[in-house]
Amino acid sequence: MERYEIETFLTLADELHFARTAERLRVSPGRVSQTVKALERRVGGPLFERSSRRVTLTPVGRQLREDLLPAYRQIQRAFADATAAHAGMLGALRVGFTAPWSGELLIKAGDAFTAHHPACTVELLDVTYNAAIAALRNKQVDLVVAEPPVEEPDVVVGPVLFSERRALVVPSGHPLARRATVSQEALAELPLITAAGVSKAFCASFFPTRTPGGLPIGHGPAASGWQGILALVGAGKGPPWRPSPPARTASGPTSPTCPSMTRGPSTTR
């Protein structure tokens, strides 16, 4: 069997639809039909049952699929490994991330990456802001997914991956937790938990000293990572002003809740 014959048969066996098979293979439905008919002539009988409403595999067709698919996938892996070896795509891609809610996106991205580069693995590392920059400089990670701004002169900043509304993270029993949204002026009502070891630009963006209306914002205790910040929130030491997903990262009688702020989206790069 030629490669295009194998791919046509396996794709049709997967789709059970001539038009969708043709679309996936970027050929005409007529070409798919001709290829299948030629295969059926060679095996001496039908591989598919066709009607005006559906396409199904015959018993012989099912057996052929079960026999062909593992061998075809092995050929694909072997070719991909050889290509990756020449391209230098071997080993581990080490990815740091500073926001826990980036994890799901990174797992999906890692799965897609390893599907195209099976000789590689993806290693995820949950790090604080300062540790992430140090890890990049020390070549402990290859890239970092972090919230901007990142204004380190020796760090190249990539494109925005996703954006989230900012939220004020407060204990579930706090009066502000009953509101769906709050104004940024509410930041003047209680001390703001800050992050330790972040840059001046990051601090100015996430931990302002005044509201848009000019009211002073008090700063409370600082923590170096999200677990520490959430512990301070649960203890009633104040809220951080962050993207809304952290509400999904903890549970308990004082679990943080996140009324959305009426201004200020947050992005992750």
Side-chain angles (χ1 to χ4, degrees):
M1 293 177 68
E2 298 292 337
R3 178 179 173 180
Y4 78 90
E5 293 176 318
I6 297 173
E7 291 179 343
T8 300
F9 171 76
L10 290 177
T11 304
L12 183 58
D14 182 39
E15 294 287 352
L16 296 177
H17 193 282
F18 279 84
R20 288 198 298 267
T21 298
E23 184 177 353
R24 277 180 57 179
L25 297 175
R26 299 183 179 181
V27 298
S28 68
R31 174 69 182 275
V32 174
S33 181
Q34 291 172 4
T35 301
V36 170
K37 288 179 180 178
L39 285 175
E40 290 176 329
R41 286 194 297 269
R42 288 168 60 184
V43 300
L47 299 171
F48 296 91
E49 294 287 352
R50 308 161 179 82
S51 70
S52 59
R53 295 190 176 185
R54 57 185 301 192
V55 176
T56 60
L57 281 163
T58 65
V60 174
R62 283 195 297 271
Q63 185 61 52
L64 181 60
R65 180 183 183 276
E66 291 176 5
D67 292 340
L68 274 180
L69 189 56
Y72 177 68
R73 286 176 174 169
Q74 185 176 359
I75 292 171
Q76 285 184 308
R77 285 194 297 269
F79 188 77
D81 288 347
T83 303
H86 277 295
M89 298 295 289
L90 296 170
L93 176 65
R94 300 159 302 171
V95 182
F97 62 98
T98 61
W101 54 95
S102 302
E104 183 177 353
L105 173 66
L106 292 176
I107 290 171
K108 292 180 179 179
D111 289 343
F113 179 81
T114 53
H116 285 86
H117 305 289
C120 296
T121 59
V122 176
E123 299 175 0
L124 301 182
L125 178 64
D126 185 1
V127 290
T128 60
Y129 180 92
N130 250 11
I133 301 301
L136 274 175
R137 289 179 173 142
N138 297 333
K139 298 183 179 180
Q140 295 172 324
V141 296
D142 301 299
L143 60 94
V144 170
V145 178
E147 298 164 276
V150 178
E151 297 185 345
E152 309 297 329
D154 56 339
V155 175
V156 177
V157 179
V160 172
L161 298 180
F162 63 89
S163 297
E164 295 279 0
R165 289 181 61 85
R166 289 189 182 182
L168 197 64
V169 185
V170 296
S172 56
H174 194 280
L176 290 178
R178 295 191 292 269
R179 303 186 194 178
T181 61
V182 293
S183 166
Q184 287 190 49
E185 299 304 311
L187 295 174
E189 298 179 15
L190 63 179
L192 194 65
I193 293 176
T194 62
V198 297
S199 68
K200 291 182 178 179
F202 190 95
C203 191
S205 177
F206 284 94
F207 313 114
T209 57
R210 290 190 177 275
T211 70
L215 296 175
I217 300 173
H219 285 183
S224 60
W226 260 107
Q227 293 304 315
I229 288 175
L230 293 178
L232 291 173
V233 173
K237 299 298 183 181
W241 180 35
R242 307 291 285 175
S244 55
R248 301 192 293 268
T249 65
S251 60
T254 58
S255 299
T257 57
C258 304
S260 296
M261 305 300 289
T262 54
R263 295 178 57 192
S266 178
T267 56
T268 300
R269 295 176 182 269

